[in-house]
Amino acid sequence: MSELFPKYRASWETDQHRELRQHAAAFLAKEATPNQERWAKNHQVDREFWNKLGDAGLLGLDLPEEYGGAGGDFGFSAVVAEEFALAHDSASGWSVHSPIVAHYIDTYGSAEQKARWMPKIISGETVLAIAMTEPGTGSDLQAVRTTAIRDGDDYVINGSKTFISNGSLCDMVVIVAKTDPAQGAAGVSLIVAEVNDLPGFERGRVLEKVGQHGQDTRELFFTDMRVPVANLLGEQEGLGFYQLMSQLARERLVIGSICAGMAEAAVLEAIKYTKEREAFGKPLIKFQHNRFQLAELKAEVLSIKTMVDYCVQALIDGDNDPAIASMGKLIAADRAVAVVDRCVQFFGGYGYMMEYPIGRAYAAARVNKIYGGTSEIMKEIISRTL
């Protein structure tokens, strides 16, 4: 439950969601929060953390029960995404693995593919990544240059990807590639590669990001890498671009939920600090300017939460409207960055130190306006509804 708004309850939030929230909060307080500095130094989480997530039931929240999932709605993922942020986590690639990549396989995979892959995805034995972005392409996914050319019963894949979350620890990668380079968007396909000890697969350098230092973000390279044709997602080639577009609402609302949690966590830290830190003989919160700033920030957090929850409700109701999801991400990302920035100011020089959660949040927040589609792309999508 929200510490800042104890009585707050989203329209979609049931008792099951609230129980899950408490479970996730307790788990992350023990397994994630204390490890942030160490994971940042190692540029990745412990591999065992994925198995612990699986054991805790946090990797199959809205995946089918027949494979070991919880069979919940999208709200299950929204709750846990928010709790990761409230736990000051900026290292885990959970948001990529569980609510995003796993759903490509669940939605577009064949019965045989799901039976083979899904149990290990849900248990944490298999860590997922998705290889979309390339050095020369970002949001324009139909312009990818990675190719997957059929040769008998295999695809021969050549190309490179960058900014790949879970790049160090992933066991399985959903690759966005051109199976017919002459067809533009109609030539894009999604192909699943089981990459451990796979000839032609190479993990590039760990990327030095501004924030999220504990997240194992890498470049990936494919050189004549052979993957079975049976690993194609979907009934035929050329569906990848449309598969990507139909899943982006989920991704953007996961990011929106993270932003809501990040903003609330920052304000909670600021309130705590201003009650403890003294200046001129009294706590910082006793100065009217500081109280008014915190009052504005608390109201700002509520506006972010209600916006995101409206969009989550729409998705739960079956309205997969890209404009609605884009509005949720646009507002949540832009406002969360502003909230975190303002909260840093209360801490003075300490707010600029990475050993403080607020410093890590400041460095981690900015990317939310970029990945999952930039704020400018969100505006373009929304503008088409005007």
Side-chain angles (χ1 to χ4, degrees):
M1 297 192 310
S2 170
E3 285 187 55
L4 204 54
F5 305 100
K7 296 180 181 180
Y8 181 86
R9 187 165 186 160
S11 60
W12 48 264
E13 199 168 357
T14 66
D15 289 342
Q16 276 189 303
H17 292 111
R18 292 169 78 81
E19 288 170 9
L20 173 61
R21 187 183 291 281
Q22 293 173 343
H23 168 63
F27 172 86
L28 294 169
K30 177 183 177 183
E31 300 292 348
T33 306
N35 294 315
Q36 293 299 307
E37 288 188 61
R38 181 170 60 82
W39 288 346
K41 290 176 182 177
N42 294 339
H43 296 292
Q44 65 182 53
V45 303
D46 302 328
R47 179 59 184 83
E48 295 76 18
F49 181 64
W50 286 102
N51 302 99
K52 291 178 179 180
L53 284 168
D55 291 342
L58 297 177
L59 294 181
L61 297 167
D62 47 351
L63 294 172
E65 295 180 29
E66 63 185 291
Y67 306 119
D73 59 25
F74 177 73
F76 281 54
S77 288
V79 160
V80 176
E82 191 175 358
E83 289 302 324
F84 264 97
L86 286 165
H88 303 294
D89 176 78
S90 61
S92 167
W94 171 89
S95 62
V96 172
H97 172 105
S98 183
I100 298 174
V101 186
H103 278 269
Y104 282 97
I105 295 171
D106 182 48
T107 304
Y108 305 115
S110 67
E112 187 278 331
Q113 287 173 333
K114 289 189 281 189
R116 178 155 55 101
W117 294 328
M118 201 65 78
K120 292 182 179 180
I121 290 170
I122 292 170
S123 71
E125 185 177 344
T126 294
V127 176
L128 297 176
I130 187 163
M132 292 190 198
T133 306
E134 297 181 358
T137 63
S139 296
D140 186 9
L141 294 174
Q142 58 187 314
V144 297
R145 295 183 178 180
T146 297
T147 58
I149 306 303
R150 184 163 183 168
D151 180 27
D153 291 333
D154 291 334
Y155 287 114
V156 180
I157 302 179
N158 285 280
S160 63
K161 301 288 184 177
T162 193
F163 308 147
I164 307 305
S165 300
N166 297 339
S168 296
L169 296 176
C170 60
D171 306 290
M172 185 180 291
V173 183
V174 175
I175 301 171
V176 181
K178 286 282 185 66
T179 45
D180 187 345
Q183 293 297 314
V188 175
S189 299
L190 303 185
I191 300 167
V192 179
E194 298 166 270
V195 296
N196 291 334
D197 301 317
L198 180 63
F201 174 76
E202 181 183 355
R203 303 176 201 263
R205 64 192 175 99
V206 175
L207 300 174
E208 292 287 345
K209 306 185 297 299
V210 171
Q212 299 184 337
H213 298 147
Q215 164 56 228
D216 53 324
T217 308
R218 282 185 180 262
E219 301 168 317
L220 300 181
F221 300 98
F222 319 121
T223 306
D224 292 331
M225 186 179 80
R226 302 185 76 91
V227 176
V229 170
N231 285 18
L232 174 72
L233 281 185
E235 297 179 357
Q236 63 189 55
E237 295 177 0
L239 301 177
F241 183 76
Y242 308 101
Q243 292 167 337
L244 290 165
M245 293 303 102
S246 66
Q247 291 293 309
L248 280 175
R250 291 181 59 88
E251 178 177 353
R252 288 165 182 166
L253 290 182
V254 167
I255 295 170
S257 298
I258 291 170
C259 290
M262 185 176 285
E264 180 169 354
V267 173
L268 287 169
E269 285 294 302
I271 292 171
K272 177 183 176 183
Y273 187 79
T274 55
K275 287 181 177 179
E276 296 173 349
R277 181 64 185 264
E278 293 191 356
F280 306 105
K282 60 181 179 180
L284 293 179
I285 202 167
K286 294 295 184 180
F287 292 89
Q288 185 185 62
H289 173 78
N290 291 337
R291 291 200 309 277
F292 281 12
Q293 288 286 313
L294 289 167
E296 287 182 6
L297 290 165
K298 182 173 181 177
E300 189 79 59
V301 170
L302 184 59
S303 72
I304 297 170
K305 288 173 69 69
T306 54
M307 177 66 179
V308 171
D309 285 333
Y310 173 87
C311 300
V312 169
Q313 180 71 70
L315 191 63
I316 291 173
D317 290 343
D319 185 0
N320 192 24
D321 185 343
I324 293 293
S326 296
M327 284 187 269
K329 181 184 183 296
L330 173 68
I331 297 301
D334 281 5
R335 300 318 307 154
V337 169
V339 167
V340 173
D341 177 68
R342 289 176 65 185
C343 287
V344 168
Q345 200 70 16
F346 293 106
F347 291 77
Y350 292 109
Y352 206 60
M353 299 294 111
M354 279 297 184
E355 64 210 68
Y356 278 70
I358 195 67
R360 294 195 295 271
Y362 179 73
R366 184 59 177 79
V367 75
N368 290 303
K369 296 170 70 172
I370 298 172
Y371 64 9
T374 65
S375 292
E376 291 69 30
I377 293 294
M378 299 303 99
K379 293 172 186 177
E380 176 63 27
I381 294 169
I382 297 163
S383 72
R384 295 171 188 170
T385 68
L386 300 178

